[in-house]
Amino acid sequence: MKFGVIRFPGSCDEVDALDAAARIGEAVILWHRDRDLQGVDAVIVPGGFSYGDYLRVGAIARFAPVMEEVAEFARAGGLVLGICNGFQVLCEARLLPGALLPNTSLRFVCRQVSVEVARAGTPFTGACAVGQHLSIPVKHTSGRFYAPEPELDRLDSGGQVLLRYAPGENPNGSLRDIAGVCNETGNVFGLMPHPEHAVDRLTGSTDGLKIFESMRAHAADRVLV
Amino acid sequence: MPPTASSSSSSRHRALGLTDDEYELILERLGREPNGVELAMLSLMWSEHCAYKHSRKLLRRLPTDGPHLLMGPGENAGAVDVGNGLAVAFKVESHNHPSAVEPFQGAATGVGGILRDVFAVGARPIAVLDSLRFGEPAESARSRYLLERVVAGIGHYGNSIGVPTVGGEIYFERSYEQNCLVNAMCLGIAPHARLTRAAAAGPGNVLVLLGALTGRDGIGGASVLASAELGEGDEAKRPSVQIGDPFAEKKLLECCLELLDRELLVSLQDLGAAGLTSSASEMASKGGVGLDIDVSRVPLREEDMEPFEIMVSESQERMLCVVEPERVGAVIDVCEKWETLATPIGCVTDSGQVRVLDHGVAVGELAVEVLVDDCPLYDLDPAPPENPAALYPPVDARLSGAESPAEILLELLRSPNIASRRPVFEQYDPIVQSRTVRRPDAADAAVLMLGDGGAIGVSIDGSGRRVACDPRAGAAEAVYECSANLACVGAEPLGLTNCLNFGNPEKPHVAWQLTEAVDGMAEACEALGVPVVGGNVSLYNEAPTGPIFPTPVVGMVGALPSAERAGQLGFAAPGDAIALVGYFEHSLVGSELAKLRGEAPTGSLPGLDGTLLRDLHAAVRDAVRSGAVSSCHDIAEGGLTVALAECCLAGDLGASVELAAAGEPGLFGEAPGCAFVVSGPAERLEAAGLPRLHVIGQVGGDSLSLTAGNLELNLAVSDMRVARDGGLAKLV
Amino acid sequence: MRARVLVRPKQGILDPQGQAVERALPALGFAGVSHVHVGRLIELDVEDPDQLPDMCERLLANPLIEDYEIVDADAAVGS
Amino acid sequence: MRARVLVRPKQGILDPQGQAVERALPALGFAGVSHVHVGRLIELDVEDPDQLPDMCERLLANPLIEDYEIVDADAAVGS
Ligand SMILES: Nc1ncnc2c1ncn2[C@@H]1O[C@H](COP(=O)(O)OP(=O)(O)O)[C@@H](O)[C@H]1O
Ligand SMILES: [Mg+2]
């Protein structure tokens, strides 16, 4: 399993994502100006403040040359995981539904939160059980997931909501407590919590590893098929 | 020399903050009148901020050598060896006046500035800490506003650049109402070989300016501001606010580290106060060379800037480096990769002069010596205040003296100086870079893994109120408290940095506070064997109502053999014994309780025996490292009772404690650096060799119950939590 | 042309910034203020104003959450 | 009155957002764009428009680093 982690100018959590992925498989950095995805099995769009988050979170990064390749890769069914700023970039790039608005508190918030697995058995939650709680930190200023009501209904009925903040844990005012959603085909997933910051008992919890393990299992299955 | 200088130039130098005597000295050294460019440069280099006129002599009293020292004061940041070929560089710096003028940008650029100091020496920043002081939030809307905007500004810069903010401290006292303090500390790591000095070398080498465009930011700003009291007229100083751009600095940081890794630079220096003038002068002075700078080559944000403006601009996110001519191309390539401007603007010479050119024509020429060394250093004229009680009038009493211990404890837990800092630290990212083993609230010091199995602990402390009571003992206490905090996580001190925040040193009682505090700090450092690797001084923090509390802020870094064994402050398991360890002298002088009772900060603090404390901290550290204690917390603000409550809250466990009759001073007296509350299995505690260990109770249940002679209290952990969580939350 | 692009949150989407301003104003003694919304202002010189709508759709605004309006700054008059 | 307050970085003050947009546009194929500045747009109903300048000075803008302009939204016309 080979993960590729994109580095934009202003990425901050790309090394954390690289190290987390390297616990599960091989992991390489993909430079924002390069169009070569180096044959990776999955792309991680990491957290941070790509392009300073200026104008609107994720708005400028989605035009980086590498993102054209990521869009192509996603269309071909490749696994793409967007974490925090990466989630925002994927929404801006229309690879994921919805948008991430400023937290209702209007403040940056870093907090260990409990998220509930809303759907298991996907490429990103295969190693989890429905209803399972994962302890994973969030840290962002714009994490309030928004989509128009009909779209939210579609996401719910289509099983695209994979993670929700546990009751009382919603840190940002996300509609329907949505913490992470995938696209219709299930191969692109974005979430505000940082699973790469929950991979070591010493620095917090290890619950985030479940996401990376799920991706590895999925990739392994695909190779077998 | 007769007063021949024309009146126009004499009023000019005064407006720029130079005294007549200083100006005379300049005339004498130059043998002529300086032109406008030169005068602008000199006035900044001879400002308090750059020349340390009133503090340099005192600073010589601080011990600066130690077994782990790699780089001491004089470089952009000091550095200590942490083993395995790794160095930790660190420094604390103030951005008090800019933050008072524009709190968000002032605090943000303060963080940006200290980050640059750390990566200027070749270290990758791995942590930021902040030490903040504001007026009383309950009585001052302005203090609440400053708190909110300063915290947002620090978070904005640190979070955006991907450096975790892992700790800090905040106190609220009326003396800071007009002069808030915003001190930021940064730590970085580097392989020894990457540590870089600022000395320019090699005549013929090229001077390359890296980073942001140069605009009119801070012209007449930080340097002048930091050297004059902020009075009613601070509106006039406003148009020069610097704006921070963490995105630009992130690219600049990665760019500089790559340049150093590729060994493309001879030397590197950040641009801070006084911009190009200060950076160039410092680099030339340290290298014993001269520099030519052509201001017409400096890329500008505004087209019509004068040479003097370019030389003193404090635009952020810029660095200056010396490059061998054949490597300039390679340097520009790396900068292009990181979307960072790199512009050759001059060269190293053997002239011993800083020459400023405009399109090749000299517009200023000053000997490096005159810029850097010739500014007069002043002796202080210290005298203790005649009426110490009048210096800092107390705030209105919130406690009458008739309250029960439980009522006192709840009021202390609610006090803004003790209440939970969560509303603040939740606005910071403490976990990026995946090193943080102890986040805020988990232990007395932050703990960071180094990637080689080892770890470091870091703490920042300084209680102005206690220093106001007793400057010498109070400043020593700040050092001991840092060391004690490190002991709580199992870290051995390697070095410290400090920021001396004081009032107007030309006033005898402030000079006395400063002198006493530096002496106290020096004594404590000597006793602990910890060198001062660098620091910063911020003077003239004074309002018409008087000076701030004398506030030496100490930041200390220590090493742990293993992150696995890092200590924590929360009680760990029901049934564990609780013990008091160390030298706990019962006194309410300078305590939070005394403040809540409306008492002025006066009286002497217990004198501390540094040798005893060094051994105490070593024993505590060993007990933490060996696992003999499961939790460890020092007894600071609010005394033993608050310390016990904090251990209960952090561990979400109750405790029952029985003390010998000790009266209120025993329950609420403070002993920073001298005494600890530890817990663990009784037999292990007793076998740990901890000095003056007294088992005082047991962990368990869901309330804290305590008896001490005829005093007793019993409070549910949940009630204590409500009190402690609410204190600040309703203010921010 | 000097153009102004006014970007505002779409109707019906919670606008906490607008609410914060609306709450803060009475505390400062300003009464009678309502329906406050906070958005973004982008000012730019463009050689080809026909490109503006496309720029807005693709970069300056996010049509899912924001409405935008293009104003000729030279023609606009303050009150 | 429905008022619009346009808040923009003061002349000469660093505007990192404007710079970022200016650099991004050519990469998207939009040439000939310059002097980009990003600010804030505040729209509000006020009973007493005379209060607006004071509101701007005290809350809506930071006069230290920002200029503001008050526009009557009912009178303003888009292009
Ligand atoms: N209180 C202090 N204790 C020890 N060293 C100090 C102190 N204040 C300043 N220094 C040292 O003096 C030098 C100049 O400080 P400063 O002007 O703040 O440096 P910079 O311009 O790099 O920010 C630095 O090396 C700093 O570490
Ligand atoms: Mg420096």
Side-chain angles (χ1 to χ4, degrees), chain B residues 473-489:
Chain B
E477 240 180 43
V479 176
Y480 295 130
E481 183 170 1
C482 269
S483 165
N485 286 338
L486 293 185
C488 287
V489 297

mmCIF file with all atom_site columns, all heavy atoms in Angstrom, chain B residues 473-489:
data_model
loop_
_atom_site.group_PDB
_atom_site.id
_atom_site.type_symbol
_atom_site.label_atom_id
_atom_site.label_alt_id
_atom_site.label_comp_id
_atom_site.label_asym_id
_atom_site.label_entity_id
_atom_site.label_seq_id
_atom_site.pdbx_PDB_ins_code
_atom_site.Cartn_x
_atom_site.Cartn_y
_atom_site.Cartn_z
_atom_site.occupancy
_atom_site.B_iso_or_equiv
_atom_site.pdbx_formal_charge
_atom_site.auth_seq_id
_atom_site.auth_comp_id
_atom_site.auth_asym_id
_atom_site.auth_atom_id
_atom_site.pdbx_PDB_model_num
ATOM 1   N N   . ALA B 1 473 ? 13.894 37.711 45.880 1.00 0.00 ? 473 ALA B N   1
ATOM 2   C CA  . ALA B 1 473 ? 13.385 36.360 46.124 1.00 0.00 ? 473 ALA B CA  1
ATOM 3   C C   . ALA B 1 473 ? 12.345 35.973 45.070 1.00 0.00 ? 473 ALA B C   1
ATOM 4   O O   . ALA B 1 473 ? 12.282 34.812 44.645 1.00 0.00 ? 473 ALA B O   1
ATOM 5   C CB  . ALA B 1 473 ? 12.781 36.274 47.524 1.00 0.00 ? 473 ALA B CB  1
ATOM 6   N N   . GLY B 1 474 ? 11.562 36.944 44.640 1.00 0.00 ? 474 GLY B N   1
ATOM 7   C CA  . GLY B 1 474 ? 10.521 36.640 43.664 1.00 0.00 ? 474 GLY B CA  1
ATOM 8   C C   . GLY B 1 474 ? 11.102 36.214 42.325 1.00 0.00 ? 474 GLY B C   1
ATOM 9   O O   . GLY B 1 474 ? 10.607 35.286 41.685 1.00 0.00 ? 474 GLY B O   1
ATOM 10  N N   . ALA B 1 475 ? 12.162 36.899 41.892 1.00 0.00 ? 475 ALA B N   1
ATOM 11  C CA  . ALA B 1 475 ? 12.775 36.521 40.617 1.00 0.00 ? 475 ALA B CA  1
ATOM 12  C C   . ALA B 1 475 ? 13.462 35.168 40.740 1.00 0.00 ? 475 ALA B C   1
ATOM 13  O O   . ALA B 1 475 ? 13.405 34.340 39.820 1.00 0.00 ? 475 ALA B O   1
ATOM 14  C CB  . ALA B 1 475 ? 13.776 37.591 40.185 1.00 0.00 ? 475 ALA B CB  1
ATOM 15  N N   . ALA B 1 476 ? 14.096 34.924 41.890 1.00 0.00 ? 476 ALA B N   1
ATOM 16  C CA  . ALA B 1 476 ? 14.706 33.601 42.106 1.00 0.00 ? 476 ALA B CA  1
ATOM 17  C C   . ALA B 1 476 ? 13.617 32.539 42.055 1.00 0.00 ? 476 ALA B C   1
ATOM 18  O O   . ALA B 1 476 ? 13.797 31.476 41.447 1.00 0.00 ? 476 ALA B O   1
ATOM 19  C CB  . ALA B 1 476 ? 15.427 33.570 43.453 1.00 0.00 ? 476 ALA B CB  1
ATOM 20  N N   . GLU B 1 477 ? 12.485 32.852 42.680 1.00 0.00 ? 477 GLU B N   1
ATOM 21  C CA  . GLU B 1 477 ? 11.372 31.904 42.698 1.00 0.00 ? 477 GLU B CA  1
ATOM 22  C C   . GLU B 1 477 ? 10.922 31.520 41.296 1.00 0.00 ? 477 GLU B C   1
ATOM 23  O O   . GLU B 1 477 ? 10.555 30.374 41.037 1.00 0.00 ? 477 GLU B O   1
ATOM 24  C CB  . GLU B 1 477 ? 10.190 32.560 43.409 1.00 0.00 ? 477 GLU B CB  1
ATOM 25  C CG  . GLU B 1 477 ? 9.720  31.830 44.616 1.00 0.00 ? 477 GLU B CG  1
ATOM 26  C CD  . GLU B 1 477 ? 8.546  32.569 45.253 1.00 0.00 ? 477 GLU B CD  1
ATOM 27  O OE1 . GLU B 1 477 ? 7.628  33.040 44.536 1.00 0.00 ? 477 GLU B OE1 1
ATOM 28  O OE2 . GLU B 1 477 ? 8.558  32.675 46.465 1.00 0.00 ? 477 GLU B OE2 1
ATOM 29  N N   . ALA B 1 478 ? 10.924 32.507 40.385 1.00 0.00 ? 478 ALA B N   1
ATOM 30  C CA  . ALA B 1 478 ? 10.496 32.214 39.016 1.00 0.00 ? 478 ALA B CA  1
ATOM 31  C C   . ALA B 1 478 ? 11.410 31.151 38.405 1.00 0.00 ? 478 ALA B C   1
ATOM 32  O O   . ALA B 1 478 ? 10.955 30.248 37.700 1.00 0.00 ? 478 ALA B O   1
ATOM 33  C CB  . ALA B 1 478 ? 10.509 33.488 38.172 1.00 0.00 ? 478 ALA B CB  1
ATOM 34  N N   . VAL B 1 479 ? 12.697 31.266 38.698 1.00 0.00 ? 479 VAL B N   1
ATOM 35  C CA  . VAL B 1 479 ? 13.637 30.269 38.192 1.00 0.00 ? 479 VAL B CA  1
ATOM 36  C C   . VAL B 1 479 ? 13.378 28.908 38.849 1.00 0.00 ? 479 VAL B C   1
ATOM 37  O O   . VAL B 1 479 ? 13.308 27.877 38.177 1.00 0.00 ? 479 VAL B O   1
ATOM 38  C CB  . VAL B 1 479 ? 15.101 30.719 38.455 1.00 0.00 ? 479 VAL B CB  1
ATOM 39  C CG1 . VAL B 1 479 ? 16.087 29.643 38.016 1.00 0.00 ? 479 VAL B CG1 1
ATOM 40  C CG2 . VAL B 1 479 ? 15.374 32.041 37.745 1.00 0.00 ? 479 VAL B CG2 1
ATOM 41  N N   . TYR B 1 480 ? 13.201 28.934 40.181 1.00 0.00 ? 480 TYR B N   1
ATOM 42  C CA  . TYR B 1 480 ? 12.952 27.664 40.878 1.00 0.00 ? 480 TYR B CA  1
ATOM 43  C C   . TYR B 1 480 ? 11.632 27.037 40.443 1.00 0.00 ? 480 TYR B C   1
ATOM 44  O O   . TYR B 1 480 ? 11.510 25.825 40.341 1.00 0.00 ? 480 TYR B O   1
ATOM 45  C CB  . TYR B 1 480 ? 12.951 27.880 42.396 1.00 0.00 ? 480 TYR B CB  1
ATOM 46  C CG  . TYR B 1 480 ? 14.290 28.301 42.942 1.00 0.00 ? 480 TYR B CG  1
ATOM 47  C CD1 . TYR B 1 480 ? 14.427 29.397 43.780 1.00 0.00 ? 480 TYR B CD1 1
ATOM 48  C CD2 . TYR B 1 480 ? 15.447 27.582 42.595 1.00 0.00 ? 480 TYR B CD2 1
ATOM 49  C CE1 . TYR B 1 480 ? 15.660 29.785 44.271 1.00 0.00 ? 480 TYR B CE1 1
ATOM 50  C CE2 . TYR B 1 480 ? 16.685 27.968 43.080 1.00 0.00 ? 480 TYR B CE2 1
ATOM 51  C CZ  . TYR B 1 480 ? 16.794 29.075 43.915 1.00 0.00 ? 480 TYR B CZ  1
ATOM 52  O OH  . TYR B 1 480 ? 18.015 29.449 44.386 1.00 0.00 ? 480 TYR B OH  1
ATOM 53  N N   . GLU B 1 481 ? 10.655 27.887 40.188 1.00 0.00 ? 481 GLU B N   1
ATOM 54  C CA  . GLU B 1 481 ? 9.363  27.320 39.795 1.00 0.00 ? 481 GLU B CA  1
ATOM 55  C C   . GLU B 1 481 ? 9.476  26.612 38.448 1.00 0.00 ? 481 GLU B C   1
ATOM 56  O O   . GLU B 1 481 ? 8.919  25.535 38.246 1.00 0.00 ? 481 GLU B O   1
ATOM 57  C CB  . GLU B 1 481 ? 8.276  28.398 39.742 1.00 0.00 ? 481 GLU B CB  1
ATOM 58  C CG  . GLU B 1 481 ? 6.927  27.774 39.404 1.00 0.00 ? 481 GLU B CG  1
ATOM 59  C CD  . GLU B 1 481 ? 5.736  28.699 39.549 1.00 0.00 ? 481 GLU B CD  1
ATOM 60  O OE1 . GLU B 1 481 ? 5.929  29.871 39.905 1.00 0.00 ? 481 GLU B OE1 1
ATOM 61  O OE2 . GLU B 1 481 ? 4.609  28.228 39.298 1.00 0.00 ? 481 GLU B OE2 1
ATOM 62  N N   . CYS B 1 482 ? 10.214 27.219 37.525 1.00 0.00 ? 482 CYS B N   1
ATOM 63  C CA  . CYS B 1 482 ? 10.424 26.556 36.230 1.00 0.00 ? 482 CYS B CA  1
ATOM 64  C C   . CYS B 1 482 ? 11.107 25.215 36.422 1.00 0.00 ? 482 CYS B C   1
ATOM 65  O O   . CYS B 1 482 ? 10.713 24.204 35.842 1.00 0.00 ? 482 CYS B O   1
ATOM 66  C CB  . CYS B 1 482 ? 11.324 27.419 35.343 1.00 0.00 ? 482 CYS B CB  1
ATOM 67  S SG  . CYS B 1 482 ? 10.419 28.535 34.313 1.00 0.00 ? 482 CYS B SG  1
ATOM 68  N N   . SER B 1 483 ? 12.138 25.224 37.238 1.00 0.00 ? 483 SER B N   1
ATOM 69  C CA  . SER B 1 483 ? 12.877 23.996 37.473 1.00 0.00 ? 483 SER B CA  1
ATOM 70  C C   . SER B 1 483 ? 11.975 22.945 38.132 1.00 0.00 ? 483 SER B C   1
ATOM 71  O O   . SER B 1 483 ? 12.034 21.755 37.808 1.00 0.00 ? 483 SER B O   1
ATOM 72  C CB  . SER B 1 483 ? 14.098 24.323 38.333 1.00 0.00 ? 483 SER B CB  1
ATOM 73  O OG  . SER B 1 483 ? 14.655 23.155 38.866 1.00 0.00 ? 483 SER B OG  1
ATOM 74  N N   . ALA B 1 484 ? 11.132 23.405 39.074 1.00 0.00 ? 484 ALA B N   1
ATOM 75  C CA  . ALA B 1 484 ? 10.203 22.484 39.727 1.00 0.00 ? 484 ALA B CA  1
ATOM 76  C C   . ALA B 1 484 ? 9.209  21.918 38.720 1.00 0.00 ? 484 ALA B C   1
ATOM 77  O O   . ALA B 1 484 ? 8.874  20.727 38.744 1.00 0.00 ? 484 ALA B O   1
ATOM 78  C CB  . ALA B 1 484 ? 9.466  23.200 40.851 1.00 0.00 ? 484 ALA B CB  1
ATOM 79  N N   . ASN B 1 485 ? 8.733  22.770 37.823 1.00 0.00 ? 485 ASN B N   1
ATOM 80  C CA  . ASN B 1 485 ? 7.795  22.290 36.803 1.00 0.00 ? 485 ASN B CA  1
ATOM 81  C C   . ASN B 1 485 ? 8.447  21.226 35.931 1.00 0.00 ? 485 ASN B C   1
ATOM 82  O O   . ASN B 1 485 ? 7.824  20.229 35.560 1.00 0.00 ? 485 ASN B O   1
ATOM 83  C CB  . ASN B 1 485 ? 7.325  23.455 35.926 1.00 0.00 ? 485 ASN B CB  1
ATOM 84  C CG  . ASN B 1 485 ? 6.346  24.353 36.653 1.00 0.00 ? 485 ASN B CG  1
ATOM 85  O OD1 . ASN B 1 485 ? 5.716  23.942 37.618 1.00 0.00 ? 485 ASN B OD1 1
ATOM 86  N ND2 . ASN B 1 485 ? 6.227  25.582 36.197 1.00 0.00 ? 485 ASN B ND2 1
ATOM 87  N N   . LEU B 1 486 ? 9.710  21.444 35.608 1.00 0.00 ? 486 LEU B N   1
ATOM 88  C CA  . LEU B 1 486 ? 10.413 20.435 34.815 1.00 0.00 ? 486 LEU B CA  1
ATOM 89  C C   . LEU B 1 486 ? 10.558 19.148 35.618 1.00 0.00 ? 486 LEU B C   1
ATOM 90  O O   . LEU B 1 486 ? 10.378 18.046 35.086 1.00 0.00 ? 486 LEU B O   1
ATOM 91  C CB  . LEU B 1 486 ? 11.797 20.949 34.391 1.00 0.00 ? 486 LEU B CB  1
ATOM 92  C CG  . LEU B 1 486 ? 11.809 22.114 33.407 1.00 0.00 ? 486 LEU B CG  1
ATOM 93  C CD1 . LEU B 1 486 ? 13.243 22.443 32.991 1.00 0.00 ? 486 LEU B CD1 1
ATOM 94  C CD2 . LEU B 1 486 ? 10.987 21.802 32.167 1.00 0.00 ? 486 LEU B CD2 1
ATOM 95  N N   . ALA B 1 487 ? 10.874 19.273 36.920 1.00 0.00 ? 487 ALA B N   1
ATOM 96  C CA  . ALA B 1 487 ? 11.003 18.084 37.764 1.00 0.00 ? 487 ALA B CA  1
ATOM 97  C C   . ALA B 1 487 ? 9.711  17.270 37.749 1.00 0.00 ? 487 ALA B C   1
ATOM 98  O O   . ALA B 1 487 ? 9.737  16.043 37.735 1.00 0.00 ? 487 ALA B O   1
ATOM 99  C CB  . ALA B 1 487 ? 11.370 18.488 39.193 1.00 0.00 ? 487 ALA B CB  1
ATOM 100 N N   . CYS B 1 488 ? 8.571  17.973 37.743 1.00 0.00 ? 488 CYS B N   1
ATOM 101 C CA  . CYS B 1 488 ? 7.268  17.287 37.760 1.00 0.00 ? 488 CYS B CA  1
ATOM 102 C C   . CYS B 1 488 ? 7.073  16.366 36.555 1.00 0.00 ? 488 CYS B C   1
ATOM 103 O O   . CYS B 1 488 ? 6.306  15.417 36.618 1.00 0.00 ? 488 CYS B O   1
ATOM 104 C CB  . CYS B 1 488 ? 6.127  18.298 37.794 1.00 0.00 ? 488 CYS B CB  1
ATOM 105 S SG  . CYS B 1 488 ? 5.945  19.119 39.379 1.00 0.00 ? 488 CYS B SG  1
ATOM 106 N N   . VAL B 1 489 ? 7.711  16.668 35.442 1.00 0.00 ? 489 VAL B N   1
ATOM 107 C CA  . VAL B 1 489 ? 7.579  15.775 34.287 1.00 0.00 ? 489 VAL B CA  1
ATOM 108 C C   . VAL B 1 489 ? 8.810  14.883 34.129 1.00 0.00 ? 489 VAL B C   1
ATOM 109 O O   . VAL B 1 489 ? 8.878  14.064 33.217 1.00 0.00 ? 489 VAL B O   1
ATOM 110 C CB  . VAL B 1 489 ? 7.331  16.543 32.958 1.00 0.00 ? 489 VAL B CB  1
ATOM 111 C CG1 . VAL B 1 489 ? 6.016  17.305 33.027 1.00 0.00 ? 489 VAL B CG1 1
ATOM 112 C CG2 . VAL B 1 489 ? 8.482  17.485 32.625 1.00 0.00 ? 489 VAL B CG2 1
#
